[in-house]
Amino acid sequence: MAGWWPALPRAARRYPWPTNVLLYAALFSAGDALQQRLRGGPADWQQTRRVATVAVTFHANFNYVWLRLLERALPGRAPRTVLAKVLCDQAIGGPVAVSAFYAGMSILQEKDDIFLDLKQKFWNTYKSGLMYWPFVQLTNFGLVPVHWRTAYTGLCGFLWATFLCFSQQSGDGTFESAFAFLHVKEARALERPPEK
């Protein structure tokens, strides 16, 4: 394992697009696997494969291009520039990413109405994202080198993907529904008699 770690920064500089896309997709898919584990059921690898497909075909590539476009349009790390990037990201990038996730997952799940989840959960999910992503992107645009930004977004996206996959499977796009689920699960675990 230690052998590939020093090669990662070189790969990110030499091949930034595939390195960032693969790291992002792996972390996003891991978020789905964690969500399944937290729910307590058996692993649904087809679901994780669908999440990975959406991550590789759209999310990772969109983030890679989008973050570079923002850097080209608004270069630098001055506070006003960083705030402008965050505002653009939340006003344009956020809605595009949430919409693509719900529609893409519905297509891969072969749902009759591919826009149903999007219609039902978009606003709640977008508002939830506004409580998380601006802080992530302030750090991203202010501190992270351009060639690592997509991977950093993927790292923070691991937590977001856990929430997003839960919302797509059984939540309503709010943090409250995710926390309520975890609270109920914890209460059930405390009520169970100890195994002998």
Side-chain angles (χ1 to χ4, degrees):
M1 183 166 153
W4 65 268
W5 188 252
L8 195 58
R10 286 191 307 273
R13 286 187 190 279
R14 189 165 182 196
Y15 307 105
W17 175 73
T19 304
N20 277 274
V21 167
L22 291 174
L23 282 170
Y24 184 99
L27 290 163
F28 209 81
S29 302
D32 177 66
L34 175 61
Q35 172 270 148
Q36 291 181 35
R37 180 82 172 124
L38 290 172
R39 289 167 49 110
D44 182 354
W45 295 113
Q46 283 188 321
Q47 174 67 12
T48 303
R49 198 169 26 250
R50 286 190 287 266
V51 170
T53 300
V54 170
V56 167
T57 59
F58 181 78
H59 275 260
N61 289 294
F62 171 75
N63 275 299
Y64 183 80
V65 172
W66 174 245
L67 293 174
R68 276 161 181 66
L69 179 68
L70 280 177
E71 189 60 36
R72 192 171 296 145
L74 301 163
R77 294 182 182 185
R80 281 184 181 216
T81 304
V82 170
L83 286 175
K85 288 178 196 176
V86 170
L87 285 172
C88 287
D89 185 60
Q90 296 310 299
I92 299 167
V96 169
V98 169
S99 299
F101 178 78
Y102 282 129
M105 289 300 294
S106 293
I107 289 168
L108 294 174
Q109 291 170 335
E110 299 178 356
K111 291 185 176 179
D112 292 331
D113 183 356
I114 62 169
F115 298 110
L116 183 62
D117 278 348
L118 179 62
K119 287 184 260 185
Q120 292 176 341
K121 300 174 184 180
F122 173 81
W123 284 112
N124 286 339
T125 306
Y126 179 64
K127 288 186 285 186
S128 295
L130 289 175
M131 291 186 270
Y132 180 68
W133 284 108
F135 303 104
V136 168
Q137 295 297 46
L138 277 171
T139 306
N140 197 14
F141 297 131
L143 302 174
V144 178
V146 175
H147 63 276
W148 280 114
R149 286 190 182 160
T150 302
Y152 175 78
T153 303
L155 179 63
C156 297
F158 168 74
L159 293 175
W160 179 249
T162 303
F163 164 74
L164 198 57
C165 291
F166 169 80
S167 292
Q168 194 267 331
Q169 291 290 304
S170 60
D172 64 0
T174 63
F175 285 136
E176 290 84 7
S177 68
F179 290 134
F181 170 79
L182 292 172
H183 180 70
V184 167
K185 185 177 178 190
E186 180 183 354
R188 284 185 191 146
L190 293 173
E191 290 173 0
R192 270 191 232 137
E195 294 182 22
K196 294 180 182 182

